[in-house]
PDB file of all heavy atoms in Angstrom:
ATOM      1  N   ALA X   1      -2.221 -25.414  -9.740  1.00  0.00           N
ATOM      2  CA  ALA X   1      -0.862 -24.886  -9.872  1.00  0.00           C
ATOM      3  C   ALA X   1      -0.547 -23.852  -8.742  1.00  0.00           C
ATOM      4  O   ALA X   1      -1.327 -23.097  -8.293  1.00  0.00           O
ATOM      5  CB  ALA X   1      -0.739 -24.172 -11.241  1.00  0.00           C
ATOM      6  N   ASN X   2       0.741 -23.955  -8.403  1.00  0.00           N
ATOM      7  CA  ASN X   2       1.328 -23.037  -7.462  1.00  0.00           C
ATOM      8  C   ASN X   2       1.250 -21.565  -8.041  1.00  0.00           C
ATOM      9  O   ASN X   2       1.100 -21.365  -9.218  1.00  0.00           O
ATOM     10  CB  ASN X   2       2.787 -23.438  -7.175  1.00  0.00           C
ATOM     11  CG  ASN X   2       3.290 -22.844  -5.888  1.00  0.00           C
ATOM     12  OD1 ASN X   2       2.617 -22.083  -5.218  1.00  0.00           O
ATOM     13  ND2 ASN X   2       4.553 -23.218  -5.585  1.00  0.00           N
ATOM     14  N   LEU X   3       1.439 -20.598  -7.170  1.00  0.00           N
ATOM     15  CA  LEU X   3       1.242 -19.201  -7.591  1.00  0.00           C
ATOM     16  C   LEU X   3       1.865 -18.280  -6.468  1.00  0.00           C
ATOM     17  O   LEU X   3       2.192 -18.740  -5.370  1.00  0.00           O
ATOM     18  CB  LEU X   3      -0.271 -18.923  -7.802  1.00  0.00           C
ATOM     19  CG  LEU X   3      -1.163 -18.867  -6.458  1.00  0.00           C
ATOM     20  CD1 LEU X   3      -2.487 -18.075  -6.777  1.00  0.00           C
ATOM     21  CD2 LEU X   3      -1.469 -20.227  -5.915  1.00  0.00           C
ATOM     22  N   ASP X   4       1.976 -17.071  -6.883  1.00  0.00           N
ATOM     23  CA  ASP X   4       2.248 -16.077  -5.758  1.00  0.00           C
ATOM     24  C   ASP X   4       1.043 -16.049  -4.895  1.00  0.00           C
ATOM     25  O   ASP X   4      -0.082 -15.915  -5.313  1.00  0.00           O
ATOM     26  CB  ASP X   4       2.404 -14.698  -6.363  1.00  0.00           C
ATOM     27  CG  ASP X   4       3.798 -14.459  -7.046  1.00  0.00           C
ATOM     28  OD1 ASP X   4       4.739 -14.170  -6.352  1.00  0.00           O
ATOM     29  OD2 ASP X   4       3.847 -14.670  -8.256  1.00  0.00           O
ATOM     30  N   GLU X   5       1.343 -16.217  -3.557  1.00  0.00           N
ATOM     31  CA  GLU X   5       0.260 -16.280  -2.501  1.00  0.00           C
ATOM     32  C   GLU X   5      -0.703 -15.188  -2.677  1.00  0.00           C
ATOM     33  O   GLU X   5      -0.407 -13.967  -2.712  1.00  0.00           O
ATOM     34  CB  GLU X   5       0.918 -16.322  -1.126  1.00  0.00           C
ATOM     35  CG  GLU X   5      -0.002 -16.822  -0.062  1.00  0.00           C
ATOM     36  CD  GLU X   5       0.758 -17.075   1.181  1.00  0.00           C
ATOM     37  OE1 GLU X   5       1.975 -17.366   1.127  1.00  0.00           O
ATOM     38  OE2 GLU X   5       0.079 -17.102   2.265  1.00  0.00           O
ATOM     39  N   PHE X   6      -2.057 -15.589  -2.881  1.00  0.00           N
ATOM     40  CA  PHE X   6      -3.086 -14.630  -3.116  1.00  0.00           C
ATOM     41  C   PHE X   6      -2.915 -13.793  -4.359  1.00  0.00           C
ATOM     42  O   PHE X   6      -3.490 -12.745  -4.500  1.00  0.00           O
ATOM     43  CB  PHE X   6      -3.365 -13.751  -1.881  1.00  0.00           C
ATOM     44  CG  PHE X   6      -3.957 -14.470  -0.691  1.00  0.00           C
ATOM     45  CD1 PHE X   6      -3.200 -14.745   0.439  1.00  0.00           C
ATOM     46  CD2 PHE X   6      -5.293 -14.872  -0.766  1.00  0.00           C
ATOM     47  CE1 PHE X   6      -3.764 -15.451   1.494  1.00  0.00           C
ATOM     48  CE2 PHE X   6      -5.906 -15.537   0.311  1.00  0.00           C
ATOM     49  CZ  PHE X   6      -5.120 -15.829   1.432  1.00  0.00           C
ATOM     50  N   ALA X   7      -2.026 -14.248  -5.250  1.00  0.00           N
ATOM     51  CA  ALA X   7      -1.710 -13.547  -6.518  1.00  0.00           C
ATOM     52  C   ALA X   7      -1.048 -12.250  -6.289  1.00  0.00           C
ATOM     53  O   ALA X   7      -1.137 -11.350  -7.080  1.00  0.00           O
ATOM     54  CB  ALA X   7      -2.954 -13.396  -7.358  1.00  0.00           C
ATOM     55  N   PHE X   8      -0.307 -12.139  -5.165  1.00  0.00           N
ATOM     56  CA  PHE X   8       0.424 -10.834  -4.870  1.00  0.00           C
ATOM     57  C   PHE X   8       1.805 -10.910  -5.569  1.00  0.00           C
ATOM     58  O   PHE X   8       2.730 -11.598  -5.082  1.00  0.00           O
ATOM     59  CB  PHE X   8       0.685 -10.726  -3.363  1.00  0.00           C
ATOM     60  CG  PHE X   8      -0.504 -10.593  -2.518  1.00  0.00           C
ATOM     61  CD1 PHE X   8      -0.470 -10.800  -1.116  1.00  0.00           C
ATOM     62  CD2 PHE X   8      -1.764 -10.129  -3.008  1.00  0.00           C
ATOM     63  CE1 PHE X   8      -1.577 -10.624  -0.265  1.00  0.00           C
ATOM     64  CE2 PHE X   8      -2.895 -10.029  -2.229  1.00  0.00           C
ATOM     65  CZ  PHE X   8      -2.777 -10.280  -0.816  1.00  0.00           C
ATOM     66  N   GLY X   9       1.977 -10.241  -6.651  1.00  0.00           N
ATOM     67  CA  GLY X   9       3.273 -10.051  -7.256  1.00  0.00           C
ATOM     68  C   GLY X   9       3.683 -10.997  -8.338  1.00  0.00           C
ATOM     69  O   GLY X   9       2.903 -11.803  -8.822  1.00  0.00           O
ATOM     70  N   PHE X  10       4.965 -10.908  -8.717  1.00  0.00           N
ATOM     71  CA  PHE X  10       5.571 -11.621  -9.863  1.00  0.00           C
ATOM     72  C   PHE X  10       6.682 -12.609  -9.462  1.00  0.00           C
ATOM     73  O   PHE X  10       7.365 -13.092 -10.330  1.00  0.00           O
ATOM     74  CB  PHE X  10       6.083 -10.598 -10.897  1.00  0.00           C
ATOM     75  CG  PHE X  10       5.131  -9.692 -11.505  1.00  0.00           C
ATOM     76  CD1 PHE X  10       5.351  -8.441 -11.780  1.00  0.00           C
ATOM     77  CD2 PHE X  10       3.816 -10.159 -11.767  1.00  0.00           C
ATOM     78  CE1 PHE X  10       4.466  -7.537 -12.355  1.00  0.00           C
ATOM     79  CE2 PHE X  10       2.893  -9.365 -12.353  1.00  0.00           C
ATOM     80  CZ  PHE X  10       3.218  -8.017 -12.672  1.00  0.00           C
ATOM     81  N   GLY X  11       6.826 -12.875  -8.143  1.00  0.00           N
ATOM     82  CA  GLY X  11       7.931 -13.684  -7.679  1.00  0.00           C
ATOM     83  C   GLY X  11       7.798 -15.158  -7.810  1.00  0.00           C
ATOM     84  O   GLY X  11       8.776 -15.911  -7.944  1.00  0.00           O
ATOM     85  N   GLY X  12       6.502 -15.657  -7.726  1.00  0.00           N
ATOM     86  CA  GLY X  12       6.288 -17.104  -7.889  1.00  0.00           C
ATOM     87  C   GLY X  12       6.422 -17.943  -6.672  1.00  0.00           C
ATOM     88  O   GLY X  12       6.702 -19.097  -6.804  1.00  0.00           O
ATOM     89  N   ALA X  13       6.192 -17.382  -5.493  1.00  0.00           N
ATOM     90  CA  ALA X  13       6.313 -18.205  -4.250  1.00  0.00           C
ATOM     91  C   ALA X  13       5.071 -18.058  -3.412  1.00  0.00           C
ATOM     92  O   ALA X  13       4.392 -17.055  -3.346  1.00  0.00           O
ATOM     93  CB  ALA X  13       7.522 -17.665  -3.458  1.00  0.00           C
ATOM     94  N   SER X  14       4.755 -19.231  -2.807  1.00  0.00           N
ATOM     95  CA  SER X  14       3.688 -19.227  -1.824  1.00  0.00           C
ATOM     96  C   SER X  14       4.068 -20.041  -0.611  1.00  0.00           C
ATOM     97  O   SER X  14       4.942 -20.960  -0.679  1.00  0.00           O
ATOM     98  CB  SER X  14       2.411 -19.887  -2.433  1.00  0.00           C
ATOM     99  OG  SER X  14       2.546 -21.291  -2.632  1.00  0.00           O
ATOM    100  N   ALA X  15       3.493 -19.719   0.557  1.00  0.00           N
ATOM    101  CA  ALA X  15       3.789 -20.449   1.777  1.00  0.00           C
ATOM    102  C   ALA X  15       3.414 -21.938   1.622  1.00  0.00           C
ATOM    103  O   ALA X  15       4.026 -22.825   2.241  1.00  0.00           O
ATOM    104  CB  ALA X  15       3.164 -19.841   2.994  1.00  0.00           C
ATOM    105  N   LEU X  16       2.356 -22.260   0.937  1.00  0.00           N
ATOM    106  CA  LEU X  16       1.845 -23.574   0.822  1.00  0.00           C
ATOM    107  C   LEU X  16       2.655 -24.441  -0.289  1.00  0.00           C
ATOM    108  O   LEU X  16       2.933 -25.579  -0.032  1.00  0.00           O
ATOM    109  CB  LEU X  16       0.357 -23.619   0.363  1.00  0.00           C
ATOM    110  CG  LEU X  16      -0.344 -24.946   0.430  1.00  0.00           C
ATOM    111  CD1 LEU X  16      -0.279 -25.543   1.889  1.00  0.00           C
ATOM    112  CD2 LEU X  16      -1.794 -24.751   0.030  1.00  0.00           C
ATOM    113  N   GLY X  17       3.029 -23.809  -1.328  1.00  0.00           N
ATOM    114  CA  GLY X  17       3.617 -24.495  -2.511  1.00  0.00           C
ATOM    115  C   GLY X  17       5.102 -24.343  -2.655  1.00  0.00           C
ATOM    116  O   GLY X  17       5.734 -25.031  -3.357  1.00  0.00           O
ATOM    117  N   GLY X  18       5.689 -23.305  -1.981  1.00  0.00           N
ATOM    118  CA  GLY X  18       7.107 -23.099  -2.117  1.00  0.00           C
ATOM    119  C   GLY X  18       7.435 -22.144  -3.294  1.00  0.00           C
ATOM    120  O   GLY X  18       6.498 -21.531  -3.846  1.00  0.00           O
ATOM    121  N   GLN X  19       8.682 -22.083  -3.594  1.00  0.00           N
ATOM    122  CA  GLN X  19       9.191 -21.143  -4.726  1.00  0.00           C
ATOM    123  C   GLN X  19       9.180 -21.882  -6.025  1.00  0.00           C
ATOM    124  O   GLN X  19       9.859 -22.918  -6.199  1.00  0.00           O
ATOM    125  CB  GLN X  19      10.563 -20.707  -4.420  1.00  0.00           C
ATOM    126  CG  GLN X  19      11.217 -19.921  -5.509  1.00  0.00           C
ATOM    127  CD  GLN X  19      10.470 -18.578  -5.826  1.00  0.00           C
ATOM    128  OE1 GLN X  19      10.262 -17.779  -4.918  1.00  0.00           O
ATOM    129  NE2 GLN X  19      10.003 -18.375  -7.081  1.00  0.00           N
ATOM    130  N   VAL X  20       8.403 -21.476  -6.997  1.00  0.00           N
ATOM    131  CA  VAL X  20       8.409 -22.036  -8.360  1.00  0.00           C
ATOM    132  C   VAL X  20       9.697 -21.668  -9.064  1.00  0.00           C
ATOM    133  O   VAL X  20      10.279 -20.552  -8.826  1.00  0.00           O
ATOM    134  CB  VAL X  20       7.220 -21.539  -9.129  1.00  0.00           C
ATOM    135  CG1 VAL X  20       7.165 -22.130 -10.570  1.00  0.00           C
ATOM    136  CG2 VAL X  20       5.850 -21.870  -8.444  1.00  0.00           C
ATOM    137  N   SER X  21      10.211 -22.547  -9.831  1.00  0.00           N
ATOM    138  CA  SER X  21      11.390 -22.306 -10.622  1.00  0.00           C
ATOM    139  C   SER X  21      11.147 -22.020 -12.026  1.00  0.00           C
ATOM    140  O   SER X  21      10.140 -22.454 -12.590  1.00  0.00           O
ATOM    141  CB  SER X  21      12.378 -23.512 -10.507  1.00  0.00           C
ATOM    142  OG  SER X  21      12.840 -23.715  -9.243  1.00  0.00           O
ATOM    143  N   ASN X  22      12.039 -21.291 -12.689  1.00  0.00           N
ATOM    144  CA  ASN X  22      11.991 -21.065 -14.150  1.00  0.00           C
ATOM    145  C   ASN X  22      12.520 -22.383 -14.820  1.00  0.00           C
ATOM    146  O   ASN X  22      13.604 -22.878 -14.483  1.00  0.00           O
ATOM    147  CB  ASN X  22      12.924 -19.929 -14.518  1.00  0.00           C
ATOM    148  CG  ASN X  22      12.852 -19.539 -15.986  1.00  0.00           C
ATOM    149  OD1 ASN X  22      12.989 -20.391 -16.891  1.00  0.00           O
ATOM    150  ND2 ASN X  22      12.579 -18.262 -16.257  1.00  0.00           N
ATOM    151  N   VAL X  23      11.744 -22.954 -15.747  1.00  0.00           N
ATOM    152  CA  VAL X  23      12.121 -24.239 -16.294  1.00  0.00           C
ATOM    153  C   VAL X  23      13.312 -24.141 -17.283  1.00  0.00           C
ATOM    154  O   VAL X  23      13.887 -25.266 -17.601  1.00  0.00           O
ATOM    155  CB  VAL X  23      10.900 -24.906 -17.002  1.00  0.00           C
ATOM    156  CG1 VAL X  23       9.710 -25.020 -16.091  1.00  0.00           C
ATOM    157  CG2 VAL X  23      10.500 -24.143 -18.256  1.00  0.00           C
ATOM    158  N   TYR X  24      13.673 -23.009 -17.761  1.00  0.00           N
ATOM    159  CA  TYR X  24      14.825 -22.863 -18.634  1.00  0.00           C
ATOM    160  C   TYR X  24      16.082 -22.722 -17.827  1.00  0.00           C
ATOM    161  O   TYR X  24      17.145 -23.159 -18.275  1.00  0.00           O
ATOM    162  CB  TYR X  24      14.642 -21.680 -19.548  1.00  0.00           C
ATOM    163  CG  TYR X  24      13.558 -21.902 -20.590  1.00  0.00           C
ATOM    164  CD1 TYR X  24      12.201 -21.621 -20.400  1.00  0.00           C
ATOM    165  CD2 TYR X  24      13.918 -22.530 -21.871  1.00  0.00           C
ATOM    166  CE1 TYR X  24      11.249 -21.910 -21.435  1.00  0.00           C
ATOM    167  CE2 TYR X  24      12.952 -22.859 -22.786  1.00  0.00           C
ATOM    168  CZ  TYR X  24      11.634 -22.482 -22.585  1.00  0.00           C
ATOM    169  OH  TYR X  24      10.730 -22.810 -23.563  1.00  0.00           O
ATOM    170  N   ASP X  25      16.015 -22.088 -16.674  1.00  0.00           N
ATOM    171  CA  ASP X  25      17.206 -21.910 -15.875  1.00  0.00           C
ATOM    172  C   ASP X  25      16.629 -21.916 -14.394  1.00  0.00           C
ATOM    173  O   ASP X  25      15.937 -20.935 -13.962  1.00  0.00           O
ATOM    174  CB  ASP X  25      17.858 -20.580 -16.169  1.00  0.00           C
ATOM    175  CG  ASP X  25      19.068 -20.281 -15.322  1.00  0.00           C
ATOM    176  OD1 ASP X  25      19.245 -21.017 -14.276  1.00  0.00           O
ATOM    177  OD2 ASP X  25      19.942 -19.537 -15.699  1.00  0.00           O
ATOM    178  N   LEU X  26      16.881 -22.989 -13.692  1.00  0.00           N
ATOM    179  CA  LEU X  26      16.301 -23.196 -12.388  1.00  0.00           C
ATOM    180  C   LEU X  26      16.715 -22.187 -11.372  1.00  0.00           C
ATOM    181  O   LEU X  26      16.129 -22.095 -10.238  1.00  0.00           O
ATOM    182  CB  LEU X  26      16.639 -24.594 -11.891  1.00  0.00           C
ATOM    183  CG  LEU X  26      16.222 -25.798 -12.784  1.00  0.00           C
ATOM    184  CD1 LEU X  26      16.620 -27.085 -12.137  1.00  0.00           C
ATOM    185  CD2 LEU X  26      14.720 -25.801 -13.022  1.00  0.00           C
ATOM    186  N   THR X  27      17.731 -21.359 -11.639  1.00  0.00           N
ATOM    187  CA  THR X  27      18.236 -20.357 -10.740  1.00  0.00           C
ATOM    188  C   THR X  27      17.442 -19.005 -10.914  1.00  0.00           C
ATOM    189  O   THR X  27      17.634 -18.127 -10.113  1.00  0.00           O
ATOM    190  CB  THR X  27      19.700 -20.103 -10.941  1.00  0.00           C
ATOM    191  OG1 THR X  27      19.979 -19.431 -12.202  1.00  0.00           O
ATOM    192  CG2 THR X  27      20.528 -21.397 -10.860  1.00  0.00           C
ATOM    193  N   ARG X  28      16.624 -18.923 -11.955  1.00  0.00           N
ATOM    194  CA  ARG X  28      15.994 -17.662 -12.260  1.00  0.00           C
ATOM    195  C   ARG X  28      14.542 -17.638 -11.915  1.00  0.00           C
ATOM    196  O   ARG X  28      13.900 -18.734 -11.791  1.00  0.00           O
ATOM    197  CB  ARG X  28      16.205 -17.224 -13.768  1.00  0.00           C
ATOM    198  CG  ARG X  28      17.682 -17.017 -14.049  1.00  0.00           C
ATOM    199  CD  ARG X  28      17.832 -16.731 -15.512  1.00  0.00           C
ATOM    200  NE  ARG X  28      19.342 -16.655 -15.820  1.00  0.00           N
ATOM    201  CZ  ARG X  28      19.993 -15.509 -15.803  1.00  0.00           C
ATOM    202  NH1 ARG X  28      19.357 -14.372 -15.544  1.00  0.00           N
ATOM    203  NH2 ARG X  28      21.295 -15.493 -16.013  1.00  0.00           N
ATOM    204  N   GLY X  29      13.977 -16.522 -11.777  1.00  0.00           N
ATOM    205  CA  GLY X  29      12.534 -16.364 -11.432  1.00  0.00           C
ATOM    206  C   GLY X  29      11.633 -16.795 -12.560  1.00  0.00           C
ATOM    207  O   GLY X  29      11.982 -16.644 -13.687  1.00  0.00           O
ATOM    208  N   PRO X  30      10.376 -17.276 -12.158  1.00  0.00           N
ATOM    209  CA  PRO X  30       9.479 -17.749 -13.133  1.00  0.00           C
ATOM    210  C   PRO X  30       8.427 -16.789 -13.621  1.00  0.00           C
ATOM    211  O   PRO X  30       7.622 -17.172 -14.473  1.00  0.00           O
ATOM    212  CB  PRO X  30       8.794 -18.947 -12.372  1.00  0.00           C
ATOM    213  CG  PRO X  30       8.730 -18.386 -10.996  1.00  0.00           C
ATOM    214  CD  PRO X  30      10.006 -17.626 -10.790  1.00  0.00           C
ATOM    215  N   GLY X  31       8.463 -15.585 -13.041  1.00  0.00           N
ATOM    216  CA  GLY X  31       7.418 -14.680 -13.307  1.00  0.00           C
ATOM    217  C   GLY X  31       6.221 -15.091 -12.447  1.00  0.00           C
ATOM    218  O   GLY X  31       6.146 -16.193 -11.960  1.00  0.00           O
ATOM    219  N   GLY X  32       5.192 -14.189 -12.425  1.00  0.00           N
ATOM    220  CA  GLY X  32       4.047 -14.535 -11.659  1.00  0.00           C
ATOM    221  C   GLY X  32       2.907 -13.617 -12.047  1.00  0.00           C
ATOM    222  O   GLY X  32       3.024 -12.768 -12.951  1.00  0.00           O
ATOM    223  N   SER X  33       1.721 -13.722 -11.406  1.00  0.00           N
ATOM    224  CA  SER X  33       1.517 -14.615 -10.279  1.00  0.00           C
ATOM    225  C   SER X  33       1.144 -16.045 -10.707  1.00  0.00           C
ATOM    226  O   SER X  33       1.113 -16.945  -9.853  1.00  0.00           O
ATOM    227  CB  SER X  33       0.521 -14.077  -9.341  1.00  0.00           C
ATOM    228  OG  SER X  33      -0.744 -13.919 -10.039  1.00  0.00           O
ATOM    229  N   SER X  34       0.901 -16.212 -12.004  1.00  0.00           N
ATOM    230  CA  SER X  34       0.517 -17.521 -12.512  1.00  0.00           C
ATOM    231  C   SER X  34       1.716 -18.376 -12.786  1.00  0.00           C
ATOM    232  O   SER X  34       1.905 -18.987 -13.889  1.00  0.00           O
ATOM    233  CB  SER X  34      -0.339 -17.413 -13.773  1.00  0.00           C
ATOM    234  OG  SER X  34      -1.498 -16.579 -13.568  1.00  0.00           O
ATOM    235  N   SER X  35       2.622 -18.378 -11.818  1.00  0.00           N
ATOM    236  CA  SER X  35       3.981 -18.996 -11.991  1.00  0.00           C
ATOM    237  C   SER X  35       3.921 -20.475 -12.225  1.00  0.00           C
ATOM    238  O   SER X  35       4.641 -21.084 -13.023  1.00  0.00           O
ATOM    239  CB  SER X  35       4.833 -18.608 -10.830  1.00  0.00           C
ATOM    240  OG  SER X  35       4.181 -18.827  -9.616  1.00  0.00           O
ATOM    241  N   GLY X  36       3.115 -21.206 -11.393  1.00  0.00           N
ATOM    242  CA  GLY X  36       3.023 -22.616 -11.521  1.00  0.00           C
ATOM    243  C   GLY X  36       2.416 -23.074 -12.799  1.00  0.00           C
ATOM    244  O   GLY X  36       2.838 -24.084 -13.411  1.00  0.00           O
TER     245      GLY X  36
END
């Protein structure tokens, strides 16, 4: 699963996997770092 890169933070984005979306509202953040 995708994640905040090196588990830094709650944003849910990594350079390798991109920005994870919230499945309830694709415009909102998914939380992290276990976002994927």
Side-chain angles (χ1 to χ4, degrees):
N2 200 358
L3 69 163
D4 284 276
E5 196 166 336
F6 288 107
F8 295 162
F10 297 142
S14 70
L16 190 59
Q19 174 64 58
V20 180
S21 297
N22 186 308
V23 303
Y24 288 91
D25 183 340
L26 302 179
T27 68
R28 295 176 186 269
S33 61
S34 305
S35 47

